[in-house]
Amino acid sequence: MAVSVAGGVRPGKLIEVERRLYQHLIVGKHKAAAMEDDINETLEADANKLDIERQAIQVRLDKQTKALAVFKAISNQLTETVNNSIEHKLASPDLLLTHSGVQEGQILLLDLLLDKDPNFGRIRPIISSISWLSRDLITLINSPASKHRRPKTSDVQVTDIKLILNYIGLENLRLLIPYFCSRHWLPSGHANLLWTTRKLWRYSMITAIAAQALAQLHNRPTHVSYTCALLYQLGTSVILSSSVKVFEKHWGNWLREASHSRDKEVYDAVMATEFPAEQIFNHVMEHGHHLNWQLLEQLEFSDSAITKVLKELDQDYHFSELSIDAAIVAKASCFAKIILLEEHQLLEPQERKVLLDYYEFTPQEVIRLKAQNYRKLDLA
């Protein structure tokens, strides 16, 4: 007789699959293609060039015993420096928050949009005060794809935030604001982390779209599950962003010093040193989901529905004990894992069954989720 794992204690296989997914996202060498609206698209040439240069240096180093010893010493020292710095920040969430780009106004905006009837009088000035968000919305509404939202009688660029919000509409804002915020919190402008950033963003988007679909299926308000699904990678984004900034600061300084001193061995050793993905992966596994809600509490949003759902998902509840919104996010995240791992033959059929059983997927839910377009956000 088969033993059911549905909804109870998380089986070891499920935990193993989750680690495998993050290993693929952070440590894996797969070069992910850009999704629609990729803000790092211009970095691809730099990232590829960096990979090729590192590989060439590594081949040369492998043939030289002394040079290889220098590389190992330099690489270990740089990795340790980065690791110590991020450990220091992780021990002090307020310090991590300071450099994260996550700000009170952004979370307040997300919170206000969860209201049944949001107050645009409060929302509008917050959006206006966030320059990058205003810019993203202006770019969107003036793009060819949004031509049908603008007045047909005018070709003048729209820049007035009040008009822009009216053209976009409330339901679309509930999709776009969390989308733009989550994208903004990802590491950006770092060739050393381009592929990881793309993979993480795709995971976030699949989870969010799946959560939206499940909420619709179960006649739930979609914006709570959708927003929480996007913020489910907030902690991971912040850890990665902070880590790559520290790495590139030290890496760049060491490269300049080696170049200035004309020490080719040291220069090559620094150049060949990659972002310490394995160490950062371990930090993500230990702190990522905890930071999702802890950062929001640091900003005094303990009572937010977003914080409550993210905290619930981190508390190792049995799935059957989760609130419906948290359960939807958990299911959506599970389905996203299945999609991403199966794409790279990293999930066995039996493991897939364990995941679907534990999260109590119904045939109807699976059919609905399989029918979604996970490549882009569909606006009303």
Side-chain angles (χ1 to χ4, degrees):
M1 178 179 175
V3 178
S4 173
V5 298
V9 176
R10 293 174 75 211
K13 182 58 70 176
L14 190 147
I15 297 169
E16 180 188 326
V17 168
E18 178 165 277
R19 286 187 64 86
R20 192 184 308 154
L21 184 277
Y22 279 98
Q23 188 97 26
H24 167 68
L25 296 179
I26 298 170
V27 184
K29 298 296 185 181
H30 168 67
K31 294 184 177 182
M35 290 182 67
E36 185 174 289
D37 201 24
D38 188 335
I39 59 174
N40 286 311
E41 196 167 0
T42 56
L43 269 184
E44 188 161 325
D46 292 340
N48 280 319
K49 182 180 177 182
L50 186 59
D51 287 343
I52 291 168
E53 193 167 353
R54 277 186 172 141
Q55 288 167 13
I57 292 173
Q58 192 65 58
V59 168
R60 192 164 67 247
L61 291 175
D62 288 343
K63 296 177 181 177
Q64 303 170 30
T65 305
K66 182 185 174 186
L68 187 58
V70 171
F71 163 69
K72 288 180 178 178
I74 293 288
S75 182
N76 289 340
Q77 189 177 348
L78 182 52
T79 296
E80 186 178 357
T81 300
V82 174
N83 204 40
N84 288 342
S85 177
I86 196 63
E87 281 182 352
H88 175 65
K89 289 183 178 180
L90 286 169
S92 177
D94 56 334
L95 182 62
L96 195 63
L97 182 63
T98 301
H99 302 285
S100 69
V102 182
Q103 298 176 347
E104 180 184 351
Q106 300 160 8
I107 306 303
L108 176 59
L109 189 55
L110 297 180
D111 217 37
L112 290 173
L113 285 167
L114 296 186
D115 291 345
K116 188 174 182 180
D117 187 18
N119 182 345
F120 273 80
R122 291 188 67 191
I123 288 172
R124 197 181 309 118
I126 298 174
I127 292 176
S128 297
S129 70
I130 304 172
S131 59
W132 57 264
L133 181 56
S134 299
R135 186 171 59 250
D136 283 347
L137 292 172
I138 289 170
T139 300
L140 172 76
I141 205 64
N142 288 287
S143 68
S146 295
K147 188 175 181 180
H148 64 289
R149 303 183 193 281
R150 304 190 301 269
K152 295 179 181 179
T153 55
S154 175
D155 289 327
V156 178
Q157 187 178 50
V158 183
T159 57
D160 181 82
I161 287 296
K162 184 176 181 179
L163 283 177
I164 287 170
L165 299 188
N166 287 339
Y167 293 156
I168 292 174
L170 174 59
E171 291 310 310
N172 285 333
L173 283 173
R174 282 174 163 161
L175 296 177
L176 288 168
I177 301 297
Y179 172 93
F180 284 137
C181 284
S182 297
R183 191 180 68 171
H184 179 74
W185 296 326
L186 284 167
S188 177
H190 302 286
N192 279 291
L193 213 57
L194 175 63
W195 315 119
T196 293
T197 300
R198 283 183 176 177
K199 287 183 285 185
L200 184 63
W201 181 230
R202 183 154 180 251
Y203 177 37
S204 295
M205 283 304 303
I206 293 173
T207 304
I209 292 168
Q212 185 184 30
L214 288 171
Q216 288 171 343
L217 180 63
H218 294 292
N219 297 313
R220 294 286 300 171
T222 59
H223 40 285
V224 176
S225 302
Y226 167 83
T227 300
C228 292
L230 278 174
L231 267 69
Y232 198 37
Q233 300 308 317
L234 173 62
T236 299
S237 295
V238 168
I239 292 172
L240 287 170
S241 186
S242 182
S243 301
V244 76
K245 286 175 185 174
V246 172
F247 172 77
E248 291 191 347
K249 175 186 173 184
H250 290 290
W251 185 69
N253 287 341
W254 289 19
L255 277 177
R256 283 187 289 274
E257 289 173 10
S259 178
H260 182 71
S261 63
R262 298 184 180 180
D263 191 329
K264 182 166 175 53
E265 274 191 347
V266 172
Y267 183 90
D268 282 352
V270 176
M271 189 68 199
T273 299
E274 297 184 358
F275 176 75
E278 192 70 51
Q279 288 81 358
I280 303 308
F281 158 74
N282 289 326
H283 289 312
V284 166
M285 296 310 300
E286 184 177 354
H287 300 283
H289 287 168
H290 184 60
L291 283 170
N292 287 340
W293 57 268
Q294 192 175 42
L295 292 172
L296 302 190
E297 287 197 345
Q298 288 288 123
L299 291 169
E300 300 186 357
F301 284 91
S302 299
D303 294 330
S304 166
I306 301 169
T307 309
K308 289 177 180 177
V309 168
L310 294 176
K311 192 170 186 176
E312 199 178 342
L313 289 166
D314 181 50
Q315 298 300 319
D316 280 333
Y317 286 12
H318 295 173
F319 174 75
S320 56
E321 297 173 350
L322 293 176
S323 66
I324 187 164
D325 290 322
I328 285 173
V329 175
K331 279 192 170 188
S333 176
C334 169
F335 201 80
K337 290 182 181 73
I338 290 173
I339 289 175
L340 293 174
L341 290 173
E342 286 189 334
E343 281 180 352
H344 298 278
Q345 293 80 50
L346 294 173
L347 190 71
E348 297 294 330
Q350 185 57 35
E351 293 173 328
R352 186 182 197 274
K353 185 178 186 307
V354 169
L355 291 171
L356 294 177
D357 285 350
Y358 177 78
Y359 288 106
E360 301 176 2
F361 278 89
T362 66
Q364 188 181 16
E365 287 173 334
V366 174
I367 291 169
R368 178 66 65 93
L369 291 176
K370 282 183 175 179
Q372 301 306 305
N373 175 12
Y374 294 107
R375 289 292 171 184
K376 66 174 185 175
L377 193 62
D378 288 328
L379 301 178

